[in-house]
Amino acid sequence: MQPTRERPTLEAVARVAGVSRATVSRVVNGSPKVAEPIRAAVQRAVAELGYIPNPAARSLVTQRTDSVALVLPEAAGRVFSDDPFFPSIIHGVSQELDTADKQLVLMMTNTVAGYERVERYTTARHVDGVLFASTHGADPLPGQLARLGIPVVVTGRPLGRSTVPYVDVDHVGGVRAAVRHLLDAGRTRIATIAGPQDMIAGIDRLAGYRAELAGSDRRSIVAVGDFTRESGQQAMRQLLEDDPLLDAVFVASDLMAHGALATLRAMGRRVPEDVAVVGFDDFEISRYSDPPLTTVRQPILDLGRELARQLLRAIAGEEAAPATILPTELVVRASA
């Protein structure tokens, strides 16, 4: 039987590096009060011996947990549904945190009790910072945490007067390009299936639709869904009942657009001959719909990465950008 190798100690690292135990402790716990040549010598010794710092001791010294919370104010069934938005955000955040050697704590809640649990956990400083995705309404918690000195970044421009840093995509510009494409194709009765009006994505995408139509002197024809396939089916039926002559529809998410396509088929409408359809997201499934869906591409994976980057900067004591807006792009396929 092979003898068990003893775990390297601080003292062993100190001997190899030719410094004191206290100096090794300062280096491995991230103290800036160590000259660079000495820091390099300690790091070489750590690598040579395979020394692994004690995370509990590191936390006591640095007052950090090396973990970050990602809060999704949604039910677990929604987060892990057929909507790729949430897995893509989680994936992007995880990639950046892995690179920075940080732990991700995923927290989902859509109840009062769950919300209070998130508040207790984060204000108790069990994490070094908090990311919020998919916020509804003028959520006060991000602002409350920021006022306590906890680094916070959110997806989407916060509603209300919050000054919390945020990362978002160009909703308005993407939608205006989509509606302009329909107008240029000669469509005259262009409806929209808007997203929830307590979420900035739903609000801004509806604003972009209305702004582009107003510039062409066309009237708005609006139904509202909740970013699910089922709501897209119901809203498309409502639009056709209200205006049987409509010849195009901009849908504020690809999942709702797939629901709209199903309703159009069921009601005997050809796409794009009778009704052109444009979505928003460019999920992979949209390339294989019948017909393939024209849509606005938003860089969801990059959104998650940038969200984490901004928070890591704030945790390191740097100033996070007040607002970071990522570009969107119209992708033309057969549905419009």
Side-chain angles (χ1 to χ4, degrees), residues 185 187 246-248 264 268-277 291 334-336:
R187 306 290 172 160
L246 68 84
D247 60 3
L264 288 166
R269 304 299 176 92
R270 297 171 301 165
V271 177
E273 292 85 354
D274 299 326
V275 181
V277 180
S335 70

Side-chain angles (χ1 to χ4, degrees), residues 5 12 20 23 34 56 65 90 113-114 130 137-138 159 218 226 229 237 256 260 312 321 335:
R5 183 181 176 185
S20 69
T23 297
V34 180
T65 65
I90 295 168
V130 186
L159 296 172
R218 300 285 199 281
D226 63 3
R229 196 187 310 265
R237 185 173 297 276
M256 290 198 300
L312 290 171
S335 70

Side-chain angles (χ1 to χ4, degrees), residues 250-290:
F250 165 73
V251 191
S253 82
D254 282 0
L255 279 183
M256 290 198 300
H258 279 258
L261 288 172
T263 293
L264 288 166
R265 281 194 298 271
M267 298 183 72
R269 304 299 176 92
R270 297 171 301 165
V271 177
E273 292 85 354
D274 299 326
V275 181
V277 180
V278 180
F280 195 112
D281 289 317
D282 194 30
F283 293 150
E284 186 175 4
I285 55 171
S286 298
R287 303 170 202 169
Y288 307 107
S289 60
D290 182 22

